[in-house]
Amino acid sequence: MIVTIVPFVSVLLTALHASGTYPSGVDLPETLHWENFVQAFQVADMGALLFSSAIIVLAVVPISMLISTMAGFALGHLRVPGHRIAFLAFVLGLTLPLEGIITPLYYQVRSMGLLNTRWAIILPLIGLYMPFAIVWMRAHFVNMPAEITEAARIDGASTWQLFWRVQVPLAKPALSSLGILLFLWTWNQFLLAIVLVDDPLKRTMAGALGAFQGQWGTNIPLLCAGALLILTPTLIVYLVFQRAFISALLEGSVKA
């Protein structure tokens, strides 16, 4: 806990120093300059960044959850033909590093005419999240009792009704945890935003930190204040959904 907390305390204390100074280490200033957070919010235009990040999150997370839930149900519960090969392909996809494909991804996005648009972040993220999301949802559906499906079939439920009315409601713990993870990863996405989008106001908040650093990199307190402002939404989401997040992780570890 000390190793984890001390860096955040150091950043907070640095952000509270006078703008333009060069604090050293964990040093409590005589006067706390809370106005640094207001100034960082204004100079970085974080209102527009919040809007841009919200658009990207609202596009990436629901679509990724819908596709991965349907694919996980097909691979884990319906056991469609070729499900083992497909599952192996997604497992191999987990080993693919983003840094290894960022160059061909750039040229592909450019050929589609999507550079410097939010779609340049949204579409690649949906694809990059699929291996993990599908493996995660498959781990849930593969352990669902067959008796539930048999009972639904006897009552005349079609495959679509079995999915939406029976299996999806039972998958809420896995879905909630997946949604939290996708939100955190999307909100904190940095590399794609920096490489594929030139306009800082069309990036995620974490991606915009690069432009903020380039402009205010010599103003250490202001830079630390901006970093903490970018971190705050993810911290709030984690604190609010902490119990669901931890319980779902434990469930995933057992069912994997």
Side-chain angles (χ1 to χ4, degrees):
M1 289 180 62
I2 293 176
V3 172
T4 303
I5 294 175
V6 167
F8 290 100
V9 174
S10 177
V11 172
L12 175 60
L13 294 179
T14 303
L16 294 176
H17 280 73
S19 179
T21 59
Y22 294 90
S24 58
V26 182
D27 181 22
L28 182 65
E30 296 181 359
T31 303
L32 302 180
H33 294 271
W34 296 100
E35 68 274 8
N36 287 341
F37 292 94
V38 178
Q39 185 180 358
F41 189 91
Q42 293 173 347
V43 299
D45 200 1
M46 288 195 178
L49 294 179
L50 283 169
F51 177 75
S52 178
S53 292
I55 291 177
I56 294 173
V57 167
L58 291 176
V60 171
V61 175
I63 295 176
S64 300
M65 292 180 65
L66 175 62
I67 297 175
S68 61
T69 303
M70 296 174 68
F73 176 70
L75 297 179
H77 197 73
L78 295 181
R79 308 291 178 90
V80 296
H83 67 93
R84 294 185 183 275
I85 297 176
F87 174 65
L88 179 60
F90 286 117
V91 171
L92 292 176
L94 292 174
T95 66
L96 186 66
L98 174 59
E99 294 78 7
I101 63 171
I102 190 64
T103 300
L105 184 60
Y106 172 86
Y107 287 106
Q108 183 178 12
V109 171
R110 188 181 68 174
S111 66
M112 298 170 65
L114 298 178
L115 280 181
N116 202 31
T117 67
R118 294 188 181 94
W119 289 108
I121 302 175
I122 294 171
L123 295 179
L125 282 183
I126 293 174
L128 291 169
Y129 290 160
M130 281 302 100
F132 175 84
I134 291 175
V135 171
W136 180 276
M137 294 309 301
R138 178 194 174 276
H140 168 79
F141 287 116
V142 77
N143 288 281
M144 293 302 295
E147 291 79 6
I148 297 178
T149 299
E150 294 174 359
R153 295 292 192 187
I154 292 174
D155 291 337
S158 63
T159 301
W160 191 250
Q161 291 173 329
L162 172 65
F163 174 69
W164 278 113
R165 297 186 179 183
V166 179
Q167 296 293 344
V168 169
L170 294 175
K172 285 183 178 180
L175 285 170
S176 62
S177 59
L178 179 62
I180 295 171
L181 288 172
L182 295 182
F183 169 82
L184 295 176
W185 294 342
T186 304
W187 192 273
N188 294 325
Q189 178 56 232
F190 180 81
L191 183 59
L192 285 181
I194 290 294
V195 174
L196 302 178
V197 179
D198 294 330
D199 187 354
L201 298 183
K202 294 181 181 179
R203 297 172 178 170
T204 59
M205 289 193 70
L209 182 62
F212 184 82
Q213 181 182 6
Q215 186 176 2
W216 302 93
T218 57
N219 195 330
I220 305 302
L222 203 64
L223 183 63
C224 290
L228 289 174
L229 288 174
I230 292 173
L231 174 66
T232 299
T234 58
L235 182 61
I236 293 175
V237 169
Y238 176 77
L239 292 177
V240 171
F241 298 100
Q242 180 181 9
R243 289 189 176 182
F245 181 73
I246 294 175
S247 63
L249 284 179
L250 293 175
E251 178 186 356
S253 66
V254 172
K255 292 187 177 182

